[in-house]
Amino acid sequence: MADGWVPDLDRSSGAKYVAIAEAIANAIETGVLCAGDRLPTQRDLAARLGIDLTTVTRAYEQARRRGLIGARGRAGSFVLPQDAIAAGPPPRDTGMNMPPEVAGGSLLAAWERTSSALLRAPGAGGRLHYTPAGGREADRAAGAALFGRLGLASEPDQLVVTAGAQNALHAIVGATLKAGDVVACGMHVYPGFLAIAKKAGLRLAPLARIDADALEALCRRETIAALYIVPTNDNPTTVTLDADERAALAAAARRHGVRLIEDDAYGQLAEAVIAPLSSFAPERGWYVASASKIISPALRIAHVRAPSVTDALAVAVEVHGSDVMPPPLNAALMTRWLEDGSYDRLIAETRAEAVARQAIAVDLLPSGSYAAHPCGYHLWVPLPGGADPARIGGALRATGMMAIAADDFAVGAVKAPALRVSLGGAIDRAGLRRGLAVLAREFAKG
């Protein structure tokens, strides 16, 4: 029993409820508090510390969300086993795959510093006005230079700046496809594109494997308008196409007049970037690269490279019709970071954190039990026979991790007992270890 435990707040700064929650975490880590120990009642602890009851209530709630303690009604709050599932409802899962938060990273400082510099610069007020369709010339030129570095030669007039990749995909589909068109894709596909396809009335044709032979065979059976692909670290399956596979696939698309919709959400996280699929058939490729999956979802900027200036103008019209324009200050921030090197440094931080988190997965999960990209932050986890993806996903979400069943990515009636498990988001490395330990126990049962 730990009814007599009282945190020492004398050396703490900042909000008291945060300090109390941190003190609980530290006490558990050092063994002062053990699994099953009962904490002081909230009213009792507030009286001992001489603080407001609501402060203690907020502290205990934060500790519960972190999986440190659980409530048992009138019996009070107890320390949980740290490999157990936290009591109470799981955190809300948005289903989005988010880059990991980097402890001690430079993102917030860079954001504050660059935003202040932009707003103090001469003519800064212009960044608060409407932008030309397709984006400002400087922002398009920065995107074209980036794509050139990736191996996809581009002119600024071929570029369109959008409010993130989802906005870009909406615009590409609206500008190039019509209801009833058939789009080739994988057996499991990013849900954002599934939603766009459904709204546009497209018919998706899943390929067991996205390669030249499969696309050729499909094109011999029916007319294929486009191929949708995430070429590096596919979401959700983590598959990456090498350069030879990309060249062969592009050649097949060229032979059959298939458009390439290339959603390269994760390509720049790789240690060695592979040239985009569109670089092998630039006259057929609509290439999308955004910052939300490699730096922060708050940076709502993507660049689209269209096959021609005419195609770019058509995409720009669609962007204007749906979102009017990308966030102007976000666009300016992105351009400045591309110019001063901050962009590469921030991606390097995300990459390093993703690599560290993959190492935790290697340490805790059985070899061969999942697929992953070495610089990615999600796993594709086929489950043992008879396993319930909904139950296991719920157990992982209860620990603060994000886990989505394969059915949410499935095209048509495709079924697979699997999960996409995210190693990113706000969860820290210690929380990640607790969550993956839950998954490891599921494999041990199997």
Side-chain angles (χ1 to χ4, degrees):
M1 303 288 282
D3 283 347
W5 176 81
V6 178
D8 180 6
L9 303 183
D10 290 342
R11 300 180 182 178
S12 303
S13 58
K16 283 189 169 57
Y17 78 93
V18 173
I20 295 170
E22 285 297 325
I24 293 172
N26 291 335
I28 292 171
E29 185 174 347
T30 58
V32 174
L33 292 176
C34 300
D37 281 350
R38 186 174 68 189
L39 294 175
T41 67
Q42 295 175 24
R43 192 174 299 279
D44 186 28
L45 186 58
R48 295 185 196 183
L49 294 173
I51 60 177
D52 193 338
L53 174 61
T54 57
T55 299
V56 178
T57 300
R58 291 182 69 186
Y60 277 34
E61 178 59 31
Q62 184 172 102
R64 274 194 290 272
R65 288 198 302 269
R66 292 171 60 177
L68 301 173
I69 64 175
R72 300 180 192 168
R74 293 184 178 180
S77 296
F78 294 77
V79 176
L80 290 172
Q82 288 309 288
D83 60 351
I85 297 169
R92 182 175 180 271
D93 190 343
T94 65
M96 302 298 254
N97 206 22
M98 296 184 289
E101 288 188 9
V102 180
S106 61
L107 175 60
L108 293 179
W111 199 300
E112 180 180 26
R113 181 178 63 252
T114 307
S115 296
S116 296
L118 288 169
L119 292 173
R120 288 197 304 267
R127 279 293 187 179
L128 305 180
H129 296 166
Y130 287 105
T131 60
R136 294 178 181 274
E137 183 176 0
D139 300 331
R140 290 186 286 107
L146 169 64
F147 287 0
R149 283 200 287 140
L150 300 179
L152 179 59
S154 307
E155 296 296 328
D157 287 345
Q158 290 177 276
L159 268 287
V160 178
V161 185
T162 70
Q166 189 73 0
N167 180 216
L169 295 172
H170 269 287
I172 292 167
V173 168
T176 64
L177 300 173
K178 62 183 184 303
D181 280 347
V182 181
V183 177
C185 60
M187 305 285 280
H188 294 89
V189 172
Y190 163 56
F193 188 76
L194 292 179
I196 292 170
K198 181 178 180 180
K199 183 178 180 181
L202 305 178
R203 183 163 69 84
L204 299 181
L207 303 173
R209 174 176 168 78
I210 298 182
D211 61 19
D213 290 342
L215 183 60
E216 287 274 8
L218 181 61
C219 289
R220 286 194 293 268
R221 295 196 300 271
E222 57 186 318
T223 300
I224 303 301
L227 168 69
Y228 170 76
I229 187 169
V230 180
T232 298
N233 192 22
D234 175 58
N235 181 12
T237 67
T238 77
V239 169
T240 294
L241 300 182
D242 65 28
D244 289 342
E245 291 172 315
R246 296 179 192 212
L249 195 55
R254 179 178 279 148
R255 282 191 294 273
H256 294 279
V258 176
R259 300 173 181 86
L260 300 171
I261 301 175
E262 188 173 5
D263 183 5
D264 198 13
Y266 307 98
Q268 295 174 70
L269 282 179
E271 291 281 3
V273 174
I274 305 171
L277 176 63
S278 297
S279 68
F280 298 99
E283 80 286 359
R284 305 229 54 83
W286 278 258
Y287 179 77
V288 181
S290 76
S292 64
K293 294 293 193 291
I294 55 179
I295 294 179
S296 169
L299 192 58
R300 303 308 305 161
I301 294 296
H303 293 97
V304 179
R305 191 266 193 195
S308 69
V309 175
T310 300
D311 292 318
L313 290 173
V315 171
V317 168
E318 292 290 330
V319 170
H320 183 80
S322 60
D323 282 69
V324 181
M325 63 180 181
L329 289 178
N330 269 207
L333 200 72
M334 179 80 159
T335 296
R336 179 65 61 86
W337 285 351
L338 283 167
E339 292 171 344
D340 69 11
S342 297
Y343 179 79
D344 291 336
R345 289 192 293 273
L346 291 168
I347 291 174
E349 288 185 0
T350 303
R351 180 187 303 120
E353 183 63 24
V355 168
R357 292 181 179 221
Q358 288 289 349
I360 294 173
V362 168
D363 183 44
L364 292 177
L365 300 179
S367 176
S369 63
Y370 64 92
H373 188 284
C375 301
Y377 52 82
H378 70 274
L379 313 176
W380 181 241
V381 185
L383 296 174
D388 180 0
R391 179 186 64 78
I392 298 172
L396 291 173
R397 287 192 293 274
T399 70
M401 295 184 67
M402 291 178 284
I404 309 297
D407 286 355
D408 289 350
F409 303 90
V411 178
V414 173
K415 295 291 182 183
L419 291 171
R420 186 203 70 187
V421 177
S422 177
L423 308 183
I427 191 169
D428 60 16
R429 294 186 192 180
L432 184 64
R433 282 189 172 276
R434 290 193 292 271
L436 290 178
V438 170
L439 185 57
R441 283 198 295 276
E442 293 293 335
F443 284 113
K445 295 176 186 176

